[in-house]
Every structure is written in C-alpha cells, then in structure tokens.
Amino acid sequence: MSASRQPTDNIDPNVKSAFARRTLPGIACLLAVALLAAAVAVIQIARTIDSDALVREHFLTGKAFEAHRRGMSRHVADNAFWGDAYANLSSRVNLNWAYEQENLGPSLYADFGYDAVFVIDSEGKTTYSVVRGELVQVDAQQWLESGLQNLLADARIALEDDETSAGILTAEGHPAMATAAVMTTGGSDIEEHPGPASVLVFVDLLDSNRLLELGEAYAVEGLRVDDSSERIDGALTELIRLDGSPVRFIWSASQPGEYLLWMTLPVLGAVTLGLALLAWLLLCQALKTVRIMDAGYKRLASSRTALAASEERFRDVAEAASDWIWETDQNAQLTYLSARFQEITGHAPATWIGRPLIDLLVTDHAALQDWLSGKHSVPLRCSYHAADGGVRHCRLSAREIRDDGRLLGYRGTASDVTEETKAQARVQYMSQHDALTGLPNRNRLRDYLEGKLNSLTTASRLSVLYIDLDRFKPVNDTLGHGAGDEVLIGVANRLKQCIRGDDLVARLGGDEFVMVMSRLQHNEDIEMLCARVVGAISEPFSYEDKLIHIGASVGIAVAPTDASQASELLRCADIALYQAKANGRGTWCFYGSEMDKRLHERRNREDELRQAIAEGQFEAYYQPRYLSKDMSINGAEALLRWHHPSRGLLLPEHFIPLAEETGLIVQLGEWVLREACFEAASWADDLVVSVNLSPLQLRVGDLYQMIVSALGDSGLPANRLELEITETALLQENESTLGVLNRLKSLGLRLAMDDFGTGYSSLSNLRKYPFDMIKIDGSFVTGMSHSNESHSIVKALIDLGHGLRMRVTAEGVETLEQLNLLLADGCSELQGFHMSHPLPATELNALLNSTRPRDETKQ
C-alpha cells in the first residue's frame, strides 16, 4: 500500500510546473478553435434562418392571397348557386328581397368586407350594384376598369364544372380581388328562365388596410403594394391582373437570423473568457486531487470487503424497485428491515426484528410458507396493519439466501400498492355503479339478474319493475340540469327505501330505473310495492326553495312466467311500462303476451304510415262552410283521408293520433297545406281554404317559412288562407305559440281557434291571441236539440265571439233543427253534414260551379 503511494508523494515540483505549462496553452488553443468554429457555424445558421424565413414568408404571402381567393369563391358560389337568388336577381331584380331584406346587400360589406357586389346580365349590363353596403347605380365595366370581360367569360366556362372564376382587377386605383359565378337554381324546384343567366360578382379592394389584415392573418408583416419602380430582392411577390399587367406586393422581411447573431456572438465571447478561466481552475484542482486520492486509498481498501457484501445485497433486490427491504432466517423470522420500513408502515424496525414475518402480514401461514419455499416467480399480494391502525396493501418479492448450497434465509422487497389497490377497487365499483346516484348500473343489473335467474327454483319468482319518471323533462328544461340531478338522487334514495335484503334497485340512465325483487310471491304484493313506489316518487322534491312535482309509471315482468333470460325479462318489463304510460301514466301494468302483439301492430301501423307518406296514399277532402245570412259557400276546410291498400278509406281519427306520437304529423301537415293552397288557387277569388295545424307543427321546424313557400308556389293570396289551431294546443304552448302566431298573422292570413270551449282557456288568453274566428266544437252543437244547457253554452260562445269582434263558426251541424237554432242565435258561419259532407276536390269544384257559377266576363 505504501509503495503504491511513493511515486505520487515524491513528484518533483518542476515536473508539475512543466506539466502545467504544456497543458494549459494546449487547452486554450483547443477552446479557441472550438469557439471560432462555433462562431462560423452560428453565422452560417443565421444566414440559413434568414433565407428559410424569406422562403416561408413567400409561401405565406401566396397562401394569404390564395386563401382569400378561395374564401371569396366559396361565398360567391354559395350565393350564385342559390335558388332564391336566381329567382330574385337573374332575370328580374327584386330590390326588396336582395337589398331591403339584406339577402345580397349591406350584410356582405358589414360581415365580409366585400366593397362591391354586382349582377351583370348576359349582355354585359349591370342590373344590380351595391358599393360599400350602399345601393348605387354604377356600371361595373367602368368601376372595375379593364379585365372584367375576361372574368365574366371565365365564369361562364367554369359553370360547366359548377365552379367559379376569380382574378385580380383594378378599382379606384387599387388592385382588387374579384370572384364571379353564373347564377343557377341550385338544384331547387325553381323554374329556370330562358336564355343565359346573369353573373354575380364580388369585389374586395386590396387597399393598404386590407393588405395589412391579410398579412397579419398569415404572420407576414407590412404587406403592401410596391409603388416604386426600383428592383427589390427577396421580400417581393408578383401577381398578374386579368388584363395581363403585373402588380407587385412587398413586405418587411423578419430576418430572425440577424437577430440571432446580435444575441449569440457577444455570449460566445463571454463564454470564451469563462471557459479559459475554468480550464485554469480545473488544472489546479486536478493536481490537488492527485494528492487527495492517495490519502483516501487506504480508507477505500479497508472498506472494500464491507462494500462487496453490500453490493451483493443490493444487486439481489435491484430488479424489484423496492419500497422497503426485508430479510429473514430459514424459519422466516425477520433479521433485517430497512429504514424505509418505518417511513411506510410507521413501525420501528427494532420492534419487529426476531419476530416471524407472518405476524406482520395479514395472510394465511401455509400460503406464505408455500410461497417462500417455491420459486417466487409471482409476487405475493397481501396486506398489513400500519402503526396508525390503517390497512395497507403491498406486493412481496423474495429470493433465497444460500451459502455453498445451504439455505440461510430469505431476502426481498415489499412494494406499497395501497393506492393502486384502491384505484382498482374504485374502477371496479364505477364499472358497476351509476356515477350520479351511486346505484348499480346496467352492467351490475345484468350480472345480478343472471345470477338470480340461474338460481331460480320452480317454486320461486323474480319480479322486475321497470320505472320511468313522468314530467321529468320539464324539470331539466325549466330549472336546469342541476335540478334534474338533485331530483334523480332523491328518487334513488326513495327507491332504496322500498327494497329489503338482497333486492336490487338500479339506474339504467336518464330517468329510467329498475327494481329486482325476489321475495314477492303474489301479484297483490307486487301491486302494493308499486303503489308505494308511485306514491313515494309523487311526493314533491325541494330544490332552491322550489317544490318539484313528478310522477312515475311502472312496468312489471315476472320470471319464470314471462321470461327466463335477463335481456328478455327486461324487454317484457319495458313493454309493460309502455302500456302503463299509454294507460295514463302514474300507474303500473303487468306484462302480458298480448302487449307484444299490440306493440308489433303499432310498429306495423307506423311503418304503413311512413310508406303511405312516401307513396302518396293520402288525399285532401274539403268540407264547405256556409254563410248564415244567405247560406252561400264562403270557403272549405281541408280534411285528410288515407287510401289504405287493405283497409280502404281511413278517416283522420284512425291515423292522426299515431302521426302525432311519431312526429310524422309535420310531414303530413306540410303536404295538406301545400295541396290545399294549390287547390284553392283555382277557386273563386272570395273563397277561403282553412287548414288544421298540429300542436307539434308550432314547435318543430320552420312553420313560417313553410307557409311562405306554399303561398308563393301556389300563388294563393295570404288573405284566402285560414289556419285552425286547437284550444288545447294554446294551453300547452302559451308564450312560445303567441310569438309564432303573431309572426304568421303578419303575412296577412287568417287564424281560427278550433274546438273552442273544450280547452278551458281564459278570456284574457283569447283576447291576446291574434284570432279572426272561433269555431264552436261540434259536441256542443249536437246537444242543442235536447239540452237547454248546451244551447245556452252555444249562445254564450256566439255572443262572446261577437263581443270580441270575431266571426263564429259552428261545427257539426247535422239537423235542420240545429241549423235553425244557430241562425236564430246569430252564428256567423255553419259547417256540418246537414249542408255537405267532406268532398273530394273534383266533387267540391262541381258543387261550387253549381251554386256559384262564374261570371264568364271575368274569366
């Protein structure tokens, strides 16, 4: 050991000085060369960066113009290929539609910044022009200078591929981006005009402000028109106008490389000085370290043996990524615990040394012995009690400690997996339970049902209650989803109070719940439970000082009577629930095989109704209305009939309710409206056609636009169309319906309240709606002959209508006695089988011709 230190101790100081003199200049030269190379590299990189930035800015500038051209082309195509624009601007110019209604007027300047909009006919005449949002009379040829003819010619060529044309023109001394497209019907049913269509042109002046906006959108600074004639290298791009002349655009190049040089080169100089100083200090430190290393060599040799044993111990456990380390003897008694043991468990290692490992762990003794005596290829998962009393989970790994083949003990690690175990348990719980209510979800319900059905005996029954909340959707719509969530949690708590033992209540999602009961052997018991459930849910819920009232409907299926499979049992309960809702909601219904048949029949009827709409199996009949003063026909009500392939002619009561439920009434209503308008257009000018509106039509779709389209296509004046709305619909949709009716009334058509007297609407409601007429429900008219009360009601309704300055029509007049009474009471109009049944259009026309012959001089 001393011999090895001797050369280091006796190093001559002159040798050390010569070593320093030779080494320090070499290190300095090496650093200088490296820093010079770095400076050259930075300069080259800066030039490359500037060059790449210029290329990128060239690309972005072109991209900006191209994107602007595509955007304008898309906008001009959207408007030129629009049927309404074709109808109102191509052959004739409808200024009210185009400019006053802002379909192709000021909004294009305000919203998109288009400086000019022109419509140019096939002869090159400008028929419509809007400049900066103002309607002006200006010739596009003069305003756009040269090149416009090329743009128009390109647009007509592009029409063959449903495309547009675009290019650079000159307007008001500035370059301008212009796009053009030939106006078409856009594939609509609008009739095409003879001859070539007009061309729609959008123009955007590329003045200084507009160019700056385009440049900023694509990170190009200071984009502008180059007005100088001198040559500019680099930040320049050139576009060709449609007349062949060039226009040059320039911008301020960013030059990030030059900025990099100014930032980097001073830093390199400072780094050079710093490294030189650092090299000198390191050299001094290296000479000092040589002396220190020799002094520490002896201590290193003395600890080598202990280090070898330590290295062997830690090599054995290096693969396990341990949290704490343990060792036992061959009898599994602890002989070593690392300091990490106390940090994790809270126990002091000294209190466990010498005690069996099994005392610390919560596991089977035999299982631990078998695991230790095995190959330990699979870690052992177990738990233990920490010092604070809590249970923690760990994963043990182990290796045998042997000396010359003799077993000395075991060594291993314990990795804490408490959080991992809790997370896995949480994931397992969430996969089986609803996140909002904490109830079992559909997966848990399926597993539970399958387990119960597999263990079901011939003498036992399993009852499934499918529960759906009534009037729950308005809670979300009016009070928000927070209120809805609170109600669902409250429902879950109330349902849990209705079950016992190992029964189950689950939430399937939305407002649907399922209860599974295994102790109810009689239907009476099930009905008692259903009464409890419906009663519990009917109790009001409190949310933010508001009382929320909902209800529940219940469908019941019983295994094994109704089904023996989980999915089939739930389906049966769902069918029973559907029947319970059909019976009036707030009740319950047992599944029966006939329900399947009724459901199948209803689906068949729905399919038949859809097919009938697609195949046009419907026909409009018309029931005349008569003026009481001279019993002349003043109009007719359109009524729907279905020519069913197998059931013959069906009246509305056989299919309208189904159409209401399925939403098909919207399609049927539109068909009847258009059919009635086209038919009434051929009648005398003073005859009115009335069409019934479904409540669903008031809420779904654009009813206003549908009526405008029907009137426009048929040519029927709005004052000859009357819309009938039931009083019940007004009660269901009070505020929203008022807005819809006021908008419809603005068209000039008539509005009638149908079935008046059956919906219990207040007089104030009747006064605020814009009705022209009320129709007395036929049930009151029928009772007039044999009931003074019915007659008094009809008389009061007639007086009420006259008091409100409304016309009054009596429906369902079937006898001469009823007719005479209504005439005596002053009813305005009459309608019923006594005068005429509903007639097909041909028969109605014959009746009109016979009772109201047309004046040939007026035809």
Side-chain angles (χ1 to χ4, degrees):
M1 186 79 61
S2 59
S4 63
R5 287 201 311 269
Q6 185 68 27
T8 304
D9 293 339
N10 297 329
I11 293 178
D12 185 15
N14 293 329
V15 175
K16 295 178 181 180
S17 177
F19 172 78
R21 287 195 302 271
R22 290 195 301 269
T23 305
L24 189 57
I27 294 175
C29 292
L30 182 61
L31 287 174
V33 172
L35 290 171
L36 180 60
V40 172
V42 168
I43 293 172
Q44 184 60 34
I45 290 172
R47 292 178 177 176
T48 303
I49 290 174
D50 283 342
S51 176
D52 292 345
L54 188 59
V55 171
R56 182 177 66 256
E57 289 168 357
H58 268 285
F59 171 79
L60 292 176
T61 302
K63 193 71 174 179
F65 286 113
E66 179 61 17
H68 190 46
R69 182 192 66 78
R70 290 183 179 177
M72 290 186 64
S73 297
R74 184 168 57 255
H75 288 164
V76 78
D78 290 343
N79 288 274
F81 301 160
W82 180 18
D84 288 349
Y86 177 86
N88 289 280
L89 283 176
S90 180
S91 62
R92 61 182 180 86
V93 175
N94 185 347
L95 291 178
N96 178 60
W97 180 91
Y99 187 79
E100 299 298 334
Q101 298 183 21
E102 297 191 4
N103 287 303
L104 277 170
S107 61
L108 291 174
Y109 177 70
D111 296 341
F112 301 102
Y114 295 155
D115 296 273
V117 178
F118 298 109
V119 176
I120 304 172
D121 62 17
S122 58
E123 298 177 359
K125 179 182 178 182
T126 303
T127 60
Y128 176 73
S129 57
V130 176
V131 176
R132 296 185 180 88
E134 298 293 332
L135 184 65
V136 297
Q137 291 184 351
V138 64
D139 187 357
Q141 299 281 3
Q142 297 177 356
W143 199 81
L144 287 173
E145 301 180 11
S146 61
L148 178 61
Q149 291 301 326
N150 295 337
L151 180 70
L152 299 178
D154 292 343
R156 297 195 179 277
I157 295 174
L159 177 62
E160 299 177 0
D161 298 321
D162 291 334
E163 296 290 341
T164 64
S165 65
I168 301 296
L169 300 175
T170 301
E172 297 184 348
H174 298 282
M177 180 70 73
T179 57
V182 180
M183 305 181 74
T184 69
T185 62
S188 65
D189 54 0
I190 294 176
E191 181 178 357
E192 292 190 11
H193 305 301
S198 297
V199 179
L200 179 64
V201 179
F202 287 176
V203 180
D204 188 9
L205 290 183
L206 300 179
D207 56 16
S208 58
N209 291 333
R210 190 61 165 166
L211 288 173
L212 287 176
E213 291 176 1
L214 287 176
E216 289 174 357
Y218 284 82
V220 178
E221 183 179 355
L223 183 61
R224 58 194 181 275
V225 177
D226 179 25
D227 297 325
S228 64
S229 59
E230 62 186 52
R231 178 179 178 82
I232 299 177
D233 293 328
L236 167 70
T237 188
E238 186 176 275
L239 299 178
I240 304 300
R241 296 185 180 93
L242 289 175
D243 60 3
S245 61
V247 56
R248 301 199 308 174
F249 298 90
I250 60 175
W251 62 91
S252 301
S254 58
Q255 294 184 321
E258 183 176 350
Y259 176 77
L260 176 65
L261 286 178
W262 282 104
M263 295 296 295
T264 306
L265 292 179
V267 174
L268 282 176
V271 169
T272 301
L273 295 176
L275 289 178
L277 178 61
L278 180 62
W280 181 79
L281 292 175
L282 288 176
L283 184 60
C284 294
Q285 186 65 29
L287 295 175
K288 183 179 180 180
T289 302
V290 170
R291 295 189 295 270
I292 296 174
M293 288 178 59
D294 184 70
Y297 184 80
K298 183 176 181 180
R299 293 191 299 271
L300 179 63
S302 64
S303 62
R304 183 172 298 170
T305 303
L307 180 61
S310 178
E311 288 177 348
E312 181 181 358
R313 179 184 302 154
F314 283 96
R315 263 198 315 271
D316 292 340
V317 297
E319 300 175 0
S322 61
D323 282 317
W324 47 275
I325 304 169
W326 55 271
E327 288 183 3
T328 68
D329 57 16
Q330 64 271 28
N331 297 320
Q333 291 186 337
L334 290 166
T335 59
Y336 171 80
L337 289 169
S338 66
R340 182 75 169 152
F341 171 78
Q342 185 170 1
E343 296 179 22
I344 299 297
T345 67
H347 296 293
T351 61
W352 286 95
I353 298 300
R355 297 174 61 181
L357 178 61
I358 190 63
D359 290 353
L360 175 64
L361 305 176
V362 180
T363 187
D364 181 70
H365 185 275
L368 179 62
Q369 288 295 333
D370 292 342
W371 180 71
L372 288 173
S373 61
K375 298 299 183 181
H376 318 295
S377 58
V378 178
L380 176 66
R381 294 182 70 96
C382 53
S383 59
Y384 60 90
H385 292 282
D388 59 4
V391 177
R392 301 192 68 84
H393 301 270
C394 64
R395 182 171 56 243
L396 295 182
S397 60
R399 287 187 180 182
E400 294 178 346
I401 304 175
R402 292 184 175 274
D403 184 14
D404 294 332
R406 184 169 58 92
L407 179 64
L408 300 180
Y410 304 94
R411 176 188 299 135
T413 61
S415 300
D416 189 85
V417 293
T418 303
E419 297 303 322
E420 177 185 338
T421 303
K422 289 180 179 179
Q424 291 175 349
R426 180 64 179 168
V427 170
Q428 178 66 20
Y429 178 86
M430 293 299 294
S431 68
Q432 297 285 313
H433 292 79
D434 175 53
L436 175 64
T437 63
L439 294 178
N441 61 11
R442 189 182 298 271
N443 294 332
R444 175 73 182 112
L445 173 65
R446 184 182 62 251
D447 296 341
Y448 178 85
L449 268 179
E450 290 176 352
K452 284 291 185 180
L453 290 172
N454 290 335
S455 61
L456 198 64
T457 63
T458 55
S460 60
R461 303 175 72 194
L462 188 68
S463 304
V464 173
L465 279 59
Y466 207 123
I467 305 166
D468 184 81
L469 303 184
D470 301 330
R471 302 184 303 278
F472 177 73
K473 184 177 182 297
V475 176
N476 279 335
D477 294 341
T478 58
L479 299 179
H481 289 281
D485 290 346
E486 288 295 325
V487 170
L488 290 174
I489 293 172
V491 169
N493 292 332
R494 295 182 185 183
L495 290 179
K496 285 191 288 188
Q497 295 174 4
C498 296
I499 63 173
R500 298 179 300 171
D502 62 343
D503 295 334
L504 182 80
V505 56
R507 181 189 177 208
L508 299 188
D511 58 352
E512 295 181 342
F513 298 83
V514 170
M515 296 178 66
V516 183
M517 317 293 291
S518 58
R519 301 183 183 184
L520 304 178
Q521 298 301 314
H522 304 285
N523 287 357
E524 293 79 5
D525 299 330
I526 298 176
E527 291 197 85
M528 290 178 61
L529 174 62
C530 290
R532 287 180 57 200
V533 169
V534 172
I537 296 178
S538 298
E539 291 294 324
F541 295 85
S542 178
Y543 176 76
E544 294 183 352
D545 299 329
K546 296 182 179 66
L547 292 181
I548 300 174
H549 295 270
I550 62 172
S553 301
V554 184
I556 308 162
V558 179
T561 306
D562 298 327
S564 57
Q565 298 295 324
S567 58
E568 186 66 16
L569 192 61
L570 287 172
R571 189 186 72 86
C572 293
D574 190 21
I575 293 173
L577 172 64
Y578 179 84
Q579 185 62 45
K581 285 186 172 291
N583 292 343
R585 302 177 183 267
T587 184
W588 55 87
C589 183
F590 284 88
Y591 170 78
S593 57
E594 73 281 357
M595 294 180 185
D596 259 341
K597 181 179 179 181
R598 285 199 299 270
L599 184 60
H600 182 69
E601 290 175 352
R602 183 187 182 280
R603 288 173 178 169
N604 285 341
R605 290 199 305 273
E606 183 178 341
D607 292 340
E608 288 178 348
L609 185 58
R610 293 183 186 277
Q611 185 177 1
I613 295 174
E615 296 180 356
Q617 297 176 8
F618 294 93
E619 181 181 0
Y621 275 49
Y622 301 89
Q623 186 172 26
R625 292 209 318 247
Y626 293 81
L627 290 173
S628 58
K629 62 180 180 180
D630 58 2
M631 294 304 293
S632 62
I633 299 175
N634 73 321
E637 179 182 358
L639 301 171
L640 196 59
R641 297 292 185 266
W642 180 3
H643 292 282
H644 194 282
S646 59
R647 298 166 63 191
L649 188 66
L650 299 182
L651 298 179
E653 55 264 28
H654 292 102
F655 58 87
I656 290 298
L658 179 62
E660 291 274 7
E661 292 178 19
T662 58
L664 296 174
I665 191 66
V666 177
Q667 295 176 253
L668 279 176
E670 181 176 2
W671 183 87
V672 173
L673 176 69
R674 296 184 67 85
E675 186 73 12
C677 288
F678 276 94
E679 181 61 32
S682 65
W683 298 348
D685 292 343
D686 58 344
L687 295 182
V688 177
V689 63
S690 61
V691 180
N692 291 281
L693 285 184
S694 162
L696 189 61
Q697 288 178 276
L698 297 174
R699 303 192 304 268
V700 178
D702 192 345
L703 179 62
Y704 177 86
Q705 188 59 42
M706 182 186 76
I707 293 175
V708 169
S709 175
L711 292 174
D713 294 345
S714 64
L716 181 71
N719 62 354
R720 292 181 55 201
L721 174 63
E722 184 175 82
L723 301 178
E724 298 186 13
I725 299 97
T726 63
E727 189 177 5
T728 306
L730 301 182
L731 293 176
Q732 294 173 351
E733 299 289 337
N734 198 343
E735 294 301 327
S736 61
T737 301
L738 178 60
V740 174
L741 295 184
N742 283 329
R743 192 176 182 210
L744 294 178
K745 186 63 180 173
S746 67
L747 294 174
L749 47 77
R750 306 183 187 185
L751 296 176
M753 179 184 285
D754 196 14
D755 299 336
F756 183 69
T758 62
Y760 310 105
S761 64
S762 65
L763 181 60
S764 61
N765 281 342
L766 182 60
R767 293 180 61 187
K768 74 178 181 180
Y769 284 105
F771 286 108
D772 303 284
M773 183 180 72
I774 58 175
K775 299 188 73 174
I776 301 175
D777 186 72
S779 61
F780 297 112
V781 177
T782 301
M784 288 178 61
S785 304
H786 51 273
S787 171
N788 290 331
E789 293 181 356
S790 295
H791 186 192
S792 298
I793 292 174
V794 172
K795 181 68 169 64
L797 293 178
I798 293 174
D799 293 340
L800 174 63
H802 291 164
L804 295 174
R805 297 182 180 179
M806 296 182 183
R807 292 182 296 110
V808 181
T809 299
E811 295 182 302
V813 182
E814 299 182 352
T815 66
L816 179 60
E817 182 180 1
Q818 295 169 358
L819 175 62
N820 290 332
L821 289 173
L822 291 168
L823 292 175
D825 292 337
C827 187
S828 307
E829 298 180 4
L830 305 165
Q831 182 179 355
F833 291 172
H834 179 71
M835 286 76 72
S836 174
H837 286 259
L839 304 172
T842 54
E843 296 183 18
L844 177 66
N845 286 325
L847 177 62
L848 293 177
N849 291 332
S850 65
T851 58
R852 297 170 58 96
R854 297 188 178 184
D855 188 349
E856 296 297 334
T857 63
K858 294 181 181 181
Q859 294 184 359

